Amino acid sequence: MKSTPKPQPQELTKEIISEHNTRPAYPEKPTVYQLISITKCKDQEKPYAYEYFFSLSSDTYRSLFAGGSIEPALINFILDSIIFAFSQTPESNDFIEKVLSLLSAVSSAPRFSLVGMFSDKRKVFEIKKKLEAHQLDSTMLESIFEKW
């Protein structure tokens, strides 16, 4: 029995879930446990989950991870949400700033140097390439990505 390959974040669109016509309810101030639960959502719900993860502020991530509760699954889902956002959002200066801010917030978590080793380097590379296309300050980009 052949299994169907999992869709990649950039392949998912809101149309996939249009037949359900319901947006999942997500907490306004999530806990790490709630975020981990959301990462296990069905493929049909992933576009909304990616939007939700991308919509959380850098400060929210900093406060969530300040106690050392950071998991590889969360890091990779955040990377997926950024890749999804690149495929769905016009890339304005505010958008690029948001991406940089999220990457910086996650990589500044206390246990990131240990847990970051388990991040999907292909996803990190893809995001870095997309950011480099915007001709940002290379020193700034390197300071962010050297932690990844």
Side-chain angles (χ1 to χ4, degrees):
M1 179 184 221
K2 262 188 164 174
S3 65
T4 307
K6 282 186 93 169
Q8 295 301 307
Q10 65 273 20
E11 297 169 342
L12 294 171
T13 62
K14 292 177 197 167
E15 288 77 39
I16 290 174
I17 58 173
S18 63
E19 71 246 20
H20 298 294
N21 232 5
T22 56
R23 182 181 205 87
Y26 296 118
E28 204 172 301
K29 293 183 179 182
T31 63
V32 171
Y33 177 75
Q34 288 170 319
L35 291 180
I36 290 170
S37 294
I38 293 168
T39 66
K40 298 172 184 172
C41 67
K42 297 175 186 172
D43 284 344
Q44 296 90 340
E45 296 172 351
K46 283 194 176 172
Y48 288 137
Y50 291 148
E51 283 181 345
Y52 173 68
F53 269 65
F54 190 77
S55 74
L56 295 174
S57 71
S58 300
D59 290 337
T60 299
Y61 283 117
R62 278 189 189 91
S63 67
L64 281 169
F65 300 147
S69 298
I70 187 169
E71 299 292 327
L74 283 179
I75 292 173
N76 286 314
F77 206 83
I78 292 166
L79 293 174
D80 286 341
S81 74
I82 293 170
I83 292 167
F84 179 77
F86 267 109
S87 71
Q88 300 292 308
T89 310
E91 297 174 24
S92 66
N93 287 339
D94 289 342
F95 173 81
I96 298 301
E97 287 298 319
K98 169 82 175 180
V99 170
L100 293 171
S101 180
L102 289 177
L103 292 169
S104 181
V106 172
S107 65
S108 67
R111 288 182 50 231
F112 183 80
S113 61
L114 174 65
V115 178
M117 294 186 309
F118 301 103
S119 63
D120 187 330
K121 301 305 179 203
R122 292 173 304 191
K123 294 174 185 178
V124 173
F125 183 75
E126 181 178 345
I127 293 167
K128 184 178 181 184
K129 284 293 173 202
K130 289 180 183 292
L131 290 171
E132 286 173 344
H134 288 273
Q135 300 176 353
L136 302 169
D137 176 33
S138 61
T139 307
M140 177 198 49
L141 278 179
E142 287 306 314
S143 71
I144 291 173
F145 283 101
E146 72 183 4
K147 298 174 187 176
W148 287 88

